[in-house]
Amino acid sequence: IYKKEKTVYHGKEIKMEGLIVNEPYACMIINGEKKWELRSRIPPEDKIGKELFLLSKGKVLGIVSIQDTVGPLDYKDLKNSYEYHKSYVDNNYDDFQLYAWEIQVHDKFTEKVKYDHPTGARVWVKAVNLTDGIYQDRITNYAWLEFISSIKLLILFIEVRRSEIIS
């Protein structure tokens, strides 16, 4: 009913950079529950709109991009936008500036893939080196929409048939 695309990584350096996010926030982002990642500075201009691997705990969770930056945010802004950032907020945030990086998910990997985490990397990894011979299934956004459309059509068909039977 839905399409899977087979993506093959051959253990060489991928030309895609990675964004490191701590847990549980990385999983919340890749699952679509968290739209903003809070950081103390704005992202470099060359990262905005660029596809990046989402990295956490030595694993690649999927592909995302930073679409926009909001901020600096004060305590009131953070408190009123909890639904986007899902982070605990107290009034100590007024002591320094925070920016919200608006994250868009492009692909969620069905399995987390190990990568070699360079020593000292805290925000960015320039080139992600995945384990040799990894075959990673991923469901594209297009395929997911196609799947949802099929379900909606099936429900509509069942409702029409049921109303015909009742009549």
Side-chain angles (χ1 to χ4, degrees):
I1 293 177
Y2 63 90
K3 289 183 196 171
K4 282 188 180 178
E5 288 185 357
K6 196 67 100 168
T7 305
V8 183
Y9 300 109
H10 295 285
K12 59 184 177 184
E13 287 190 344
I14 306 299
K15 298 291 182 196
M16 195 180 304
E17 296 176 73
L19 170 64
I20 302 167
V21 176
N22 290 329
E23 291 297 353
Y25 304 114
C27 282
M28 292 168 75
I29 289 170
I30 206 68
N31 290 325
E33 300 165 22
K34 178 177 161 78
K35 305 292 183 200
W36 290 358
E37 173 63 4
L38 298 179
R39 298 291 171 126
S40 61
R41 60 187 61 147
I42 60 174
E45 282 187 37
D46 67 327
K47 305 286 193 267
I48 296 181
K50 182 179 185 180
E51 287 192 343
L52 306 161
F53 282 126
L54 180 62
L55 311 173
S56 189
K57 293 190 171 189
K59 304 239 173 133
V60 181
L61 281 68
I63 299 172
V64 299
S65 63
I66 301 168
Q67 294 300 306
D68 200 2
T69 304
V70 179
L73 303 170
D74 61 17
Y75 172 71
K76 184 179 176 184
D77 296 330
L78 291 167
K79 193 173 175 184
N80 292 334
S81 59
Y82 176 81
E83 66 186 274
Y84 298 106
H85 61 76
K86 305 284 186 180
S87 300
Y88 171 75
V89 177
D90 64 22
N91 56 6
N92 291 333
Y93 281 109
D94 277 340
D95 296 338
F96 58 94
Q97 295 180 331
L98 279 180
Y99 296 87
W101 296 5
E102 184 182 328
I103 307 290
Q104 179 181 3
V105 177
H106 296 281
D107 288 302
K108 175 185 174 182
F109 291 170
T110 55
E111 293 179 30
K112 296 174 185 173
V113 181
K114 288 183 182 180
Y115 76 98
D116 295 327
H117 187 82
T119 304
R122 295 178 59 190
V123 179
W124 306 105
V125 175
K126 290 183 182 176
V128 176
N129 187 12
L130 299 179
T131 307
D132 193 24
I134 293 281
Y135 291 87
Q136 178 63 45
D137 291 335
R138 64 181 185 166
I139 301 172
T140 64
N141 289 344
Y142 173 78
W144 181 249
L145 290 174
E146 189 176 292
F147 173 70
I148 295 297
S149 296
S150 299
I151 295 296
K152 286 180 179 178
L153 283 173
L154 180 61
I155 291 169
L156 181 64
F157 174 77
I158 291 170
E159 288 176 357
V160 168
R161 291 292 293 158
R162 188 170 54 178
S163 66
E164 288 175 357
I165 292 170
I166 293 172
S167 300

